[in-house]
Amino acid sequence: MNGATAGWESAKKHFEKGIEVFKVNECSPVEKAPSDGKWHDPVDNPQLCLYSQGGESKKPWHGSFGPTIRDGVNKHTGMDLFAKPETNVYACVKSKVVRSEINSSMFGQMIVLQVIDEGVEVIKSRRKNPFTLKYAHKSEIESQNFDHNGPFYLVYAHLKERKVAVGDIVNAGKIIGLTGTSGNNGVPFSTKNPHLHFEIMNVERQAGLNKKCNPGVYLTYKDEDSLTPSDIAEQEDARKNSKFWKQ
């Protein structure tokens, strides 16, 4: 760098200025999961959220799947994957878009994909059997009346933008939307824990845990013990400096 600059000291100053201007030290690497064209995780570098919605408590189990996993009282029907708003969301396997809407529930803007054709065998091949329940002591379960032979539907919720319409056929790795913090009727809600809510189920539309599976059975993801220092720093920064991500 600066090969024509007279002297090492002068070149070093230019280099350090470049580091400052481009804010290199504030960057975090984005780890992209390897893809064979048949599977893509729902977001790049999928990781469980470390914090609760309010950000005041470190509760990584809150983002997992279970009947009373929210403080021993409330259920959680999918997996919360940390994602700053406007993060790309991908189709995991070959699928058909069966819902693309603003939901009246806390899901807000959401997309539902029906896994089709060769995508069915791809997702079946990814099953972890047995699957280790890290938060079983917090009520985490593998599934409830779920058939691992299918059919399979994939749910993406709290989006900011949807890039597909009902009837579209999408392949693994297709960007179908952007993450956000949308809730009731698509209104952005305040959170210090921005994320994609992701579900896997046997039916197109279903409240509660029935006919659903813990997404961790099929996903590649990091939990609190496998997050890198960079991952942790990014989640900490989101919690402290997000201005609640209400956008």
Side-chain angles (χ1 to χ4, degrees), residues 81-148:
L81 299 171
F82 174 78
K84 292 181 179 179
E86 300 187 2
T87 295
N88 287 335
V89 173
Y90 303 93
C92 294
V93 290
K94 186 174 181 180
S95 306
K96 179 180 179 179
V97 180
V98 292
R99 295 173 64 187
S100 178
E101 64 191 30
I102 299 178
N103 191 265
S104 60
S105 74
M106 194 57 195
F107 277 8
Q109 291 204 52
M110 66 178 295
I111 293 169
V112 179
L113 305 181
Q114 179 186 9
V115 180
I116 61 172
D117 302 335
E118 64 269 22
V120 174
E121 293 306 314
V122 172
I123 194 169
K124 285 167 63 175
S125 72
R126 292 185 57 85
R127 181 184 177 188
K128 300 169 191 169
N129 190 19
F131 173 63
T132 302
L133 295 169
K134 185 177 184 65
Y135 303 114
H137 62 294
K138 297 291 187 180
S139 89
E140 183 185 22
I141 60 174
E142 179 175 321
S143 62
Q144 183 170 300
N145 300 320
F146 181 83
D147 187 348
H148 288 282

Side-chain angles (χ1 to χ4, degrees), residues 10-177:
S10 181
K12 181 172 179 290
K13 288 180 181 179
H14 283 287
F15 180 81
E16 291 173 343
K17 185 64 175 178
I19 295 292
E20 177 186 349
V21 169
F22 291 105
K23 299 182 179 180
V24 173
N25 292 328
E26 297 179 23
C27 295
S28 297
V30 174
E31 300 177 22
K32 293 191 175 182
S35 174
D36 58 4
K38 297 179 180 180
W39 172 272
H40 196 297
D41 287 317
V43 291
D44 290 320
N45 191 26
Q47 50 188 285
L48 274 176
C49 296
L50 281 175
Y51 290 91
S52 59
Q53 288 291 339
E56 70 283 349
S57 302
K58 201 171 192 177
K59 297 179 178 178
W61 58 87
H62 264 216
S64 195
F65 181 87
T68 58
I69 206 157
R70 296 282 173 89
D71 300 322
V73 177
N74 296 316
K75 63 182 176 292
H76 190 240
T77 60
M79 178 176 278
D80 286 347
L81 299 171
F82 174 78
K84 292 181 179 179
E86 300 187 2
T87 295
N88 287 335
V89 173
Y90 303 93
C92 294
V93 290
K94 186 174 181 180
S95 306
K96 179 180 179 179
V97 180
V98 292
R99 295 173 64 187
S100 178
E101 64 191 30
I102 299 178
N103 191 265
S104 60
S105 74
M106 194 57 195
F107 277 8
Q109 291 204 52
M110 66 178 295
I111 293 169
V112 179
L113 305 181
Q114 179 186 9
V115 180
I116 61 172
D117 302 335
E118 64 269 22
V120 174
E121 293 306 314
V122 172
I123 194 169
K124 285 167 63 175
S125 72
R126 292 185 57 85
R127 181 184 177 188
K128 300 169 191 169
N129 190 19
F131 173 63
T132 302
L133 295 169
K134 185 177 184 65
Y135 303 114
H137 62 294
K138 297 291 187 180
S139 89
E140 183 185 22
I141 60 174
E142 179 175 321
S143 62
Q144 183 170 300
N145 300 320
F146 181 83
D147 187 348
H148 288 282
N149 290 313
F152 301 99
Y153 291 82
L154 312 179
V155 179
Y156 304 75
H158 302 321
L159 304 179
K160 181 175 183 179
E161 182 179 340
R162 291 164 287 133
K163 294 180 178 289
V164 290
V166 172
D168 288 352
I169 304 297
V170 293
N171 291 315
K174 167 71 175 179
I175 297 174
I176 60 173

Side-chain angles (χ1 to χ4, degrees), residues 192 235-243:
K192 292 185 178 180
Q235 292 209 35
E236 292 279 5
D237 180 70
R239 179 178 70 94
K240 295 175 182 177
N241 303 312
S242 65
K243 294 185 180 178

